[in-house]
Amino acid sequence: MLSKQQLIEYSEDARKNYVNHISIDCVVFGFHEGQMKVLLLKTNDEEKWYLPGGFVLKEEHIDNAAVRILQERTGLDKIFLQQFRVFGDPDRSKFHNDMYVGMLPKEENWFSGRFISIGYYALVDFFDVTPHPDQFSELCAWRDLDDMPEMQLDHEKIYKSALDALRLQLNYQPIGYNLMPREFTMPELQKLYETILGKKLDRRNFQRRILGFGILNRSEEPRKGGAHKAPYLYSFDMENYQNALTEGFKGGW
């Protein structure tokens, strides 16, 4: 919690540099070898967790703001973020309103106003990135989806909405290029989809459908080694993969 003097300085800076009443929250999902996690911040002197978020500079494009905020809050850069929803419940900022009420006149307190938040999400290989907390946070950590802590504000709602959006994306766009090794087996790719969707998929149906998209190339030789029949290796056909990202495909899992 900010002191009165800190609140005065913060509010003055915010009113000078940032757009009133608009914030951004980023939901970064991490996947690696069948594990699915989400990146959260634990702020200084609080037991609650938050999504990485912040405010939009007055002369800044919204998408650029999301990239900047994620980099400033977590150290992650060059992450493709996709906008998925706007959150505007009138009481979504009540926690901070109550925390600082009476410390400053309402018109001078940055936290006294109503904020809408624009949600962005991303999916990365958490093994390839190293997040770190900013000055306002004591921890920046990956949390398992089945071991989520209590989150402040409406951040649990934003996180769950992002997960729904990610799962919906699987129905009309391919996912996997930046999360799989250069060559992989069909069971390894299926595990990625099952982890995101949170359910088991029929092996034959998955293989038939994923091959039907035309986004994979099969190697001539199967993977070497192992006691069982060696599975074939696949790689992404990048031209077809990019076309599928642009044009999409129909169906559901």
Side-chain angles (χ1 to χ4, degrees), residues 23-30 37-43 48-56 65-77 79 81 84 87 92 96 117-122 124 131-134 136-137 139-143 148-149 151-156 158-159 162:
S23 62
I24 286 176
D25 287 299
C26 302
V27 187
V28 182
F29 295 105
K37 301 175 184 287
V38 67
L39 190 62
L40 298 180
L41 292 169
K42 183 174 182 293
T43 56
K48 302 295 176 60
W49 293 74
Y50 295 81
L51 295 166
F55 304 111
V56 181
V67 173
R68 173 187 57 79
I69 289 166
L70 182 64
Q71 195 280 328
E72 291 178 351
R73 299 302 311 273
T74 70
L76 301 187
D77 60 0
I79 303 296
L81 288 160
F84 69 97
F87 299 85
R92 65 176 308 272
H96 284 130
S117 184
I118 304 170
Y120 283 78
Y121 75 90
V124 303
H132 56 78
D134 65 354
F136 303 108
S137 309
L139 285 175
C140 179
W142 294 105
R143 297 296 301 254
M148 293 290 288
M151 285 188 276
Q152 194 53 264
L153 305 176
D154 57 351
H155 286 197
E156 181 177 357
I158 295 175
Y159 145 69

Side-chain angles (χ1 to χ4, degrees), residues 47 66 77 83 85 100 105 181 188 208 214 217 231 233 240 242:
E47 292 303 316
D77 60 0
Q83 187 181 137
R85 184 177 167 184
Y100 295 110
E188 289 169 344
R208 182 171 58 252
N217 294 322
L233 292 168
N240 289 346
Q242 292 299 327

Side-chain angles (χ1 to χ4, degrees), residues 156-168:
E156 181 177 357
K157 178 180 180 181
I158 295 175
Y159 145 69
K160 289 182 176 179
S161 296
L163 185 57
D164 288 341
L166 175 61
R167 288 169 172 167
L168 180 62

Side-chain angles (χ1 to χ4, degrees), residues 93-105:
S93 301
K94 185 176 185 301
F95 173 78
H96 284 130
N97 290 342
D98 293 347
M99 181 183 295
Y100 295 110
V101 66
M103 292 181 67
L104 291 178

Side-chain angles (χ1 to χ4, degrees), residues 180-234:
M180 303 298 292
R182 189 179 67 85
E183 291 188 314
F184 49 87
T185 66
M186 191 63 66
E188 289 169 344
L189 184 61
Q190 181 173 337
K191 182 63 176 177
L192 167 64
Y193 276 62
E194 289 177 337
T195 303
I196 295 172
L197 293 171
K199 65 179 183 181
K200 296 291 291 184
L201 299 173
D202 179 80
R203 179 181 61 84
R204 292 182 180 179
N205 287 341
F206 176 83
Q207 180 167 321
R208 182 171 58 252
R209 182 154 190 257
I210 203 73
L211 291 177
F213 296 148
I215 60 174
L216 298 181
N217 294 322
R218 195 180 84 169
S219 65
E220 295 297 326
E221 298 292 333
R223 175 175 287 173
K224 304 297 184 182
H228 303 285
K229 182 180 178 181
Y232 278 96
L233 292 168
Y234 293 85

